[in-house]
């Protein structure tokens, strides 16, 4: 780093970076870079100052567009990167009610459903009052954005839990009554935990770890020292992990905390410390007693989100479980010693408040339109018959005016198990699993046979849904077609690909490593 005298506050740095990149960089973006040791700060007496040269060094290497085009080709449509959006915008209001791996960003849906045009998209495909169909509805992104834009929407998903997540996002719920139920359950839960030793144990352990980490893993200095190779992370971590573990084992026996449950057959038996499991069962029983279906469903999703955060695993393995972890451990993600959870109370309360807040935010944007996700197999579901059982008005509308088109992101070949990613929720709430009908599931792998089955499955979905579409329909499919299957899929569905948009994927909520692009295929009937 070249020394300069120019020192900026966090706010000034955000203005500087916004100017440099031509896109919004917030003070919290800058604070994040400092915390993670990417930018070095100076400053005395509690003020944080950043040398301007630090910013120059960091942002010069940040010219993403050039780097990505080198990797993925010059035909990449950078306008579809939506890189100007911050994470809080791509996970705005109800889009973050529950984690879901494989979600697309709302701005992408908005781009295709809305009336915005540019040199790539020269027409408007959907207008207010139309119906859009998403036969791979997932966590309901299409439904939510359709609502914002005044468009009706029907979703279908094979996973009962995904259909539930989608529906609680779009269904209007009485927030005052929801808050009352949350307060009641939280009070009962606090009373329940006051009779157990796990909460006191966890408070003591947290205090101890905070002190220990401040001393031996100070933030952000520790990460900076590791990055500069002044500390060997591996040996430093191993040494302190062992010291803390010894202390941990002593206190565990002092408080008589049971780490493992007696059985380990079910997901709930294996992946939760006993005290956490007891609390989960307790809250689940309270939710069962709630009479209003809408409120019951929202509470179910809050509890599911809570237990996902409380699984006995490391922070690094939350997205893909490896083995249960029931002791303190060195966490490379946070650069300090972390611990598993012994109580769900704080997550339950945090997610409850967050859910109410997000639902209220969406209420302010809602249009008077209808959206619903059906739980079924898109290769053969009779949309009108199933819709009639759930929403007669929308069924009538779909029958008379027909569905205008499809906007959807089908699963990719052998990449994600959509049922398994929410195994804890299936186990706790007892939803029926239909893994065998899940197209492109990871457990079905990526062999030639798997690719052929996948292509057949997607073509079957298009053929089945076509019966309900208007004559001059438009179909948009977001795909990562690395096996070049979509030309054949279009052929088998008697459709033609009339356009392709290639977009870089930057803003993924569950960040996996590596650059990759998606194609949005635009299909019409033949
Ligand atoms: C890529 S995800 C969709 C994500 C969605 N666009 C979102 O933003 O949340 C694909 C979805 O297709 C669903 N799926 C797989 N096979 C299906 C089938 N036969 N019928 C209906 N849905 C299916 C999976 O359960 C998964 O939720």
């Amino acid at each position: 780093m070249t020394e300069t005298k120019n020192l900026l506050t966090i706010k000034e740095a955000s203005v500087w970076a916004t100017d440099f990149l031509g896109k919004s960089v917030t003070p919290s973006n800058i604070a994040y870079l400092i915390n993670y040791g990417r930018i070095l700060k100076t400053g005395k007496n509690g003020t944080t100052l950043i040398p301007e040269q630090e910013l120059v060094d960091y942002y010069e290497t940040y010219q993403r567009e050039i780097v990505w085009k080198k990797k993925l080709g010059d035909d990449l449509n950078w306008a579809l990167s939506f890189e100007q959006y911050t994470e809080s915008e791509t996970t705005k209001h109800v889009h973050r009610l529950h984690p879901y791996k494989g979600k697309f960003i709302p701005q992408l849906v908005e781009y295709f459903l809305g009336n915005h045009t540019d040199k790539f998209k020269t027409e408007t495909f959907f207008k207010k009052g139309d119906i859009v169909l998403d036969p791979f509805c997932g966590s309901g992104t299409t439904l939510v954005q359709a609502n914002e834009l005044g468009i009706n929407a029907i979703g279908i998903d094979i996973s009962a839990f995904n259909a539930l997540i989608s529906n609680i996002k779009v269904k209007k719920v009485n927030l005052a009554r929801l808050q009352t139920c949350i307060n009641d359950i939280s009070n009962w839960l606090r009373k329940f935990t006051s009779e157990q030793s796990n909460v006191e144990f966890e408070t003591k352990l947290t205090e101890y770890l905070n002190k220990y980490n401040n001393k031996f893993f100070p933030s952000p200095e520790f990460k900076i020292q590791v990055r500069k190779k002044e500390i060997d992370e591996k040996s430093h971590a191993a040494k302190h992990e062992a010291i803390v573990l010894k202390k941990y084992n002593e206190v565990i026996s002092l408080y008589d905390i049971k780490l493992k449950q007696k059985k380990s057959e079910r997901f709930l038996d294996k992946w939760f410390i006993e005290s956490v499991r007891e609390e989960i069962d307790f809250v689940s029983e309270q939710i069962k007693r709630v009479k209003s279906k809408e409120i019951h469903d929202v509470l179910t999703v809050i509890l599911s989100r809570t237990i996902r955060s409380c699984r006995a695993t490391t922070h690094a393995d939350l997205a893909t479980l490896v083995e249960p972890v029931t002791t303190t451990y060195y966490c490379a993600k946070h650069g300090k010693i972390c611990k598993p959870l012994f109580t769900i109370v704080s997550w339950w309360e945090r997610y409850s408040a967050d859910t109410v807040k997000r639902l209220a935010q969406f209420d302010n944007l809602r249009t008077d339109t209808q959206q619903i996700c059906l739980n079924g197999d898109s290769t053969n579901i009779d949309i009108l018959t199933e819709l009639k059982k759930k929403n007669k008005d929308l069924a009538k509308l779909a029958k008379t005016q027909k569905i205008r088109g499809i906007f959807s992101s089908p699963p990719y070949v052998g990449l994600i198990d959509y049922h398994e990613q929410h195994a804890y929720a299936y186990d706790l709430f007892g939803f029926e699993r239909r893994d065998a009908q899940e197209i492109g599931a990871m457990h079905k792998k990526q062999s030639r046979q798997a690719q052929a089955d996948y292509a057949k499955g997607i073509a079957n979905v298009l053929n089945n849904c076509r019966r309900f579409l208007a004559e001059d329909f438009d179909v948009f499919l977001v795909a990562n077609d690395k096996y070049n299957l979509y030309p054949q899929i279009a052929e088998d569905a008697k459709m033609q690909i009339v356009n392709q948009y290639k977009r870089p994927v930057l803003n993924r909520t569950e960040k996996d490593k590596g650059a990759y692009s998606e194609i949005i295929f635009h299909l019409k009937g033949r």
Side-chain angles (χ1 to χ4, degrees):
M1 191 197 79
T2 332
E3 270 306 319
T4 68
K5 289 200 181 79
N6 206 3
L7 296 176
L8 307 178
T9 62
I10 291 189
K11 182 122 199 300
E12 287 165 348
S14 82
V15 173
W16 183 96
T18 300
D19 198 38
F20 183 85
L21 291 179
K23 75 176 193 97
S24 165
V25 177
T26 62
S28 60
N29 295 145
I30 300 286
Y32 175 92
L33 293 174
I34 295 172
N35 278 342
Y36 280 81
R38 308 273 167 80
I39 290 177
L40 203 60
K41 64 169 183 173
T42 63
K44 286 183 197 130
N45 308 330
T47 50
T48 299
L49 292 170
I50 305 145
E52 186 179 326
Q53 192 61 42
E54 276 287 310
L55 297 170
V56 175
D57 290 349
Y58 176 76
Y59 282 106
E60 270 182 358
T61 56
Y62 178 77
Q63 283 162 338
R64 278 166 148 184
E65 180 170 355
I66 298 153
V67 176
W68 278 63
K69 281 194 169 165
K70 258 189 205 150
K71 283 185 195 157
L72 298 168
D74 266 345
D75 57 340
L76 208 60
N77 179 344
W78 198 255
L80 292 185
S81 71
F82 304 106
E83 66 154 0
Q84 68 274 32
Y85 292 100
T86 59
E87 203 201 326
S88 67
E89 287 169 309
T90 58
T91 56
K92 59 183 176 175
H93 51 74
V94 291
H95 292 296
R96 188 167 253 178
L97 285 188
H98 196 284
Y100 175 91
K101 197 174 181 189
K103 173 159 51 207
F104 45 38
I105 63 168
Q107 286 76 13
L108 178 66
V109 187
E110 233 166 58
Y111 180 88
F112 285 96
L113 295 194
N115 58 13
H116 161 92
T117 53
D118 58 25
K119 69 174 176 168
F120 301 104
K121 177 179 167 258
T122 53
E123 285 176 70
T124 297
F125 300 104
F126 296 87
K127 60 178 193 319
K128 285 189 188 340
D130 279 349
I131 305 174
V132 61
L133 172 68
D134 185 347
F136 301 103
C137 183
S139 61
T141 316
T142 304
L143 306 192
V144 174
Q145 288 320 111
N147 179 305
E148 268 194 33
L149 292 164
I151 297 169
N152 301 292
I154 303 164
I156 306 162
D157 206 284
I158 191 70
S159 149
F161 186 67
N162 294 351
L164 176 73
I165 302 180
S166 298
N167 283 326
I168 68 135
K169 288 181 179 174
V170 287
K171 213 164 207 170
K172 189 133 177 53
V173 60
N174 182 325
L175 291 182
R177 281 178 62 198
L178 173 64
Q179 188 61 62
T180 307
C181 287
I182 288 171
N183 293 348
D184 287 347
I185 295 177
S186 301
N187 288 338
W188 294 325
L189 176 61
R190 283 211 166 269
K191 187 164 182 304
F192 178 80
T193 56
S194 69
E195 288 147 22
Q196 324 284 328
S197 58
N198 55 315
V199 176
E200 191 190 330
F201 165 76
E202 179 151 58
T203 311
K204 288 259 152 63
L205 180 63
T206 306
E207 279 168 12
Y208 168 77
L209 282 182
N210 284 347
K211 269 194 210 139
Y212 198 92
N213 282 326
N214 278 341
K215 192 161 176 196
F216 297 104
F217 299 90
S219 175
E221 292 83 355
F222 173 67
K223 279 190 172 163
I224 294 169
Q225 282 173 301
V226 169
R227 191 161 51 89
K228 289 184 173 168
K229 301 203 171 19
E230 290 167 9
I231 287 187
D232 176 45
E233 184 181 16
K234 212 171 156 192
S235 57
H236 185 84
K239 178 178 151 198
H240 290 286
E241 196 176 56
I243 297 171
V244 173
L245 194 60
K246 193 162 171 273
K247 176 85 181 164
Y248 173 81
N249 286 331
E250 282 165 24
V251 191
I252 282 281
S253 50
L254 206 70
Y255 277 84
D256 195 23
I257 300 284
K258 286 182 198 64
L259 295 176
K260 291 220 164 75
Q261 299 180 46
K262 286 186 197 77
K263 291 183 288 178
S264 67
E265 290 144 28
R266 292 170 52 189
F267 190 98
L268 288 170
D269 304 329
K270 182 174 171 193
W271 286 101
F272 296 94
I273 284 174
E274 190 170 273
S275 56
V276 169
R277 172 68 185 277
E278 283 167 3
E279 292 177 6
I280 292 171
D281 288 346
F282 177 81
V283 174
S284 171
E285 282 308 309
Q286 310 312 314
I287 293 177
K288 276 187 199 151
R289 293 196 204 145
V290 173
K291 296 216 170 59
S292 149
K293 176 160 167 36
E294 281 81 38
I295 293 179
H296 172 278
D297 288 353
V298 176
L299 294 171
T300 302
V301 173
I302 299 175
L303 179 58
S304 171
R305 187 178 173 195
T306 302
I307 72 175
R308 184 185 183 277
S309 292
C310 296
R311 291 168 301 173
T313 180
T314 63
H315 291 130
D317 293 337
L318 268 173
T320 319
L321 298 176
V322 182
E323 266 305 308
V325 173
T326 56
T327 62
T328 47
Y329 60 94
Y330 173 69
C331 173
K333 191 171 166 187
H334 296 117
K336 61 180 184 178
I337 306 285
C338 288
K339 59 166 188 56
L341 283 151
F342 295 86
T343 171
I344 69 168
V345 173
S346 60
W347 286 109
W348 162 262
E349 291 184 345
R350 186 195 288 198
Y351 289 150
S352 295
D354 185 65
T355 301
V356 174
K357 185 186 85 190
R358 287 174 181 277
L359 287 170
Q361 284 168 347
F362 185 55
D363 274 353
N364 289 331
L365 302 170
R366 266 179 206 281
T367 59
D368 189 16
T369 49
Q370 306 186 65
Q371 292 77 26
I372 191 167
C373 180
L374 304 170
N375 175 215
D377 183 347
S378 291
T379 61
N380 56 32
I381 188 171
D382 181 336
I383 298 176
L384 287 185
T385 308
E386 290 310 309
L387 202 53
K388 239 186 249 164
K389 295 180 197 161
K390 305 265 174 190
N391 183 334
K392 285 205 170 56
D393 291 346
L394 189 54
K396 216 160 136 196
L397 200 66
K399 193 170 173 198
T400 49
Q401 79 177 41
K402 296 266 187 175
I403 294 169
R404 174 68 195 87
I406 291 179
F407 189 84
S408 195
S409 72
Y412 297 164
V413 183
L415 202 65
I416 296 175
D417 280 325
Y418 283 97
H419 283 81
E420 190 56 30
Q421 70 161 298
H422 303 303
Y424 48 94
Y426 279 92
D427 194 4
L428 179 61
F429 303 112
F431 302 117
E432 187 199 348
R433 286 182 67 143
R434 297 170 73 179
D435 298 60
Q437 285 108 298
E438 195 185 303
I439 298 171
M442 188 163 81
H443 67 264
K444 295 179 179 168
K445 309 245 166 62
Q446 301 183 337
S447 65
R448 276 192 182 279
Q449 185 56 48
Q451 292 171 33
D453 292 345
Y454 171 90
K456 194 163 165 243
I458 304 287
N460 287 346
V461 170
L462 293 177
N463 277 316
N464 181 44
C465 293
R466 195 183 174 142
R467 306 184 272 154
F468 307 95
L469 299 184
E471 199 138 311
D472 188 29
F473 64 80
D474 289 285
V475 169
F476 294 92
L477 298 178
V478 184
N480 172 4
D481 195 19
K482 73 172 181 180
Y483 300 114
N484 195 28
L485 302 173
Y486 275 79
Q488 188 60 47
I489 290 172
E491 184 79 23
D492 294 345
K494 298 183 191 57
M495 294 184 187
Q496 52 175 329
I497 298 172
V498 293
N499 201 356
Q500 296 188 28
Y501 304 76
K502 188 171 168 190
R503 69 172 292 261
V505 181
L506 310 179
N507 293 320
R508 285 190 295 161
T509 317
E510 297 267 1
K511 282 196 179 67
D512 298 331
K513 311 253 158 22
Y516 95 108
S517 67
E518 288 172 336
I519 293 177
I520 295 102
F521 290 101
H522 180 188
L523 298 99
K524 285 191 83 75
R526 267 202 277 132

